[in-house]
Structure formats: structure tokens, C-alpha cells
Amino acid sequence: MSEPSPLSPAAPPSGPVVLEVWCELQCPDCRAALDDVRALRARYGAELELRLRHFPLEKHKHSFAAAQAAEEAAEQGRLWPYVEAVLGRVEELDRRGDALLIEVAGELGLNAEEFDTALIDGRHILTVDADQAEGKAIGVTGTPTYVVGGERLDGGRSQEGLRARVEAVVDRLRAGREA
């Protein structure tokens, strides 16, 4: 007998609650959502596992490359610091593209040459494509979008109240695990 999906509300109680953050690294709304992500991380600590999911939007010409660069940062063990650094420089990414992605890697002490090579050889394209396809399949239309406990919470239209909605789902899931 197979177990329920970890995103299913009926999932067995074990491990941290998973929060998928569907994000695009050239998105000003995702930059604004960083405060919420930081607050959630601070509130729940190890009880909440953040998973970055890529949803590059066609209107942002460097978003696909930025998603690939984030995957390279994950391989080098610095995903979230890299994501936060790139999102903090959205306007500059719009102007400078790949050069900024490589520069940020160097600033964080990552192997910038590997970033350059990864962007050229496309080693992370399949991961980004798979995320984008899955996002479309579950109804993601904009960023940021969160999925927690089987619920999709769309922040692409408005950030207002979004963190509170995420907290309500996480608290409900945690309470169910403690019962």
C-alpha cells in the first residue's frame, strides 16, 4: 500500500512541514516576499522545510538563467543565501543578466567559474523545466506562490495576508501531528 503524498492534508505526521516556495528570481514580488520567508524560517526553524521551486516567467528575460544559477548554488551548498542576494538586486539583474549571476556567486564565496560553465552547458535546464511544468500542472500562474499541506496560496496578486495564511496552514498541520 502506498503512502499519501507529503503535500496531502492526510499525510502521516512525521518530519518538518514542507513549504514549497514557487519563485522567480527576477520578480519584484518575490523580493518583497523574502521578508515573509525569513519570518517563517525564524518562527518555525527546523519544523518547516523550505523548498525552492522555479517558475521563471517569460516577461523576465533573465529569469530562466537565474533559476539555473540557483540550482548551481544549491549544488555548492548556498541556495538560500544566493536566492536572497539575487532577489535583492532584481533591477540590476534586469540590466546585467548572466554577469550579475556570476558576480553574486563570487561575492558569496562560491565557485563563479562553475556558475559560468553551468549557464553555458545548461546542466540545470531539466530541473528548471520540470519545476515549471509541475507548477503549471498544479495551477501556478504567477510568483510567489506557496504550496503547503496540499493548499496552493497565490501571492502573485497580493502579498497582503499571505504569511498569515501560510502560518495558519502550518500551525494546523503541526497541531495535527501533536494530537
Side-chain angles (χ1 to χ4, degrees):
M1 183 171 173
S2 66
E3 292 189 28
S5 161
L7 291 181
S8 166
S14 64
V17 173
V18 174
L19 173 63
E20 291 185 336
V21 180
W22 293 84
C23 182
E24 195 245 73
L25 297 184
Q26 201 174 345
C27 171
D29 291 330
C30 290
R31 177 181 53 204
L34 272 179
D35 288 337
D36 287 341
V37 170
R38 288 182 190 115
L40 290 165
R41 191 181 306 146
R43 177 175 176 178
Y44 296 107
E47 294 180 65
L48 184 68
E49 179 184 336
L50 294 174
R51 289 187 188 162
L52 179 69
R53 303 299 302 270
H54 303 289
F55 201 76
L57 303 170
E58 288 183 22
K59 67 182 179 179
H60 295 132
K61 64 183 176 181
H62 303 294
S63 63
F64 197 82
Q68 293 177 74
E71 283 300 306
E72 183 59 31
E75 276 197 14
Q76 294 188 33
R78 301 288 312 271
L79 173 65
W80 285 103
Y82 186 82
V83 166
E84 291 187 27
V86 172
L87 281 172
R89 296 165 75 174
V90 167
E91 292 84 5
E92 193 176 351
L93 176 58
D94 189 46
R95 290 190 313 275
R96 297 186 53 215
D98 289 5
L100 175 75
L101 298 172
I102 294 164
E103 181 179 302
V104 168
E107 290 169 359
L108 292 173
L110 300 170
N111 183 336
E113 288 182 27
E114 274 305 306
F115 273 76
D116 189 34
T117 302
L119 291 172
I120 292 168
D121 71 19
R123 68 182 75 158
H124 302 295
I125 287 175
L126 294 178
T127 301
V128 175
D129 281 345
D131 273 6
Q132 192 169 42
E134 184 178 339
K136 287 178 182 177
I138 65 168
V140 175
T141 58
T143 58
T145 296
Y146 303 102
V147 175
V148 61
E151 295 184 40
R152 189 183 75 242
L153 305 170
D154 182 4
R157 293 193 189 104
S158 171
Q159 293 294 302
E160 190 171 328
L162 188 60
R163 184 172 79 203
R165 291 171 40 216
V166 170
E167 288 173 344
V169 174
V170 172
D171 289 344
R172 186 180 73 237
L173 291 170
R174 289 175 59 223
R177 291 174 179 194
E178 295 168 4

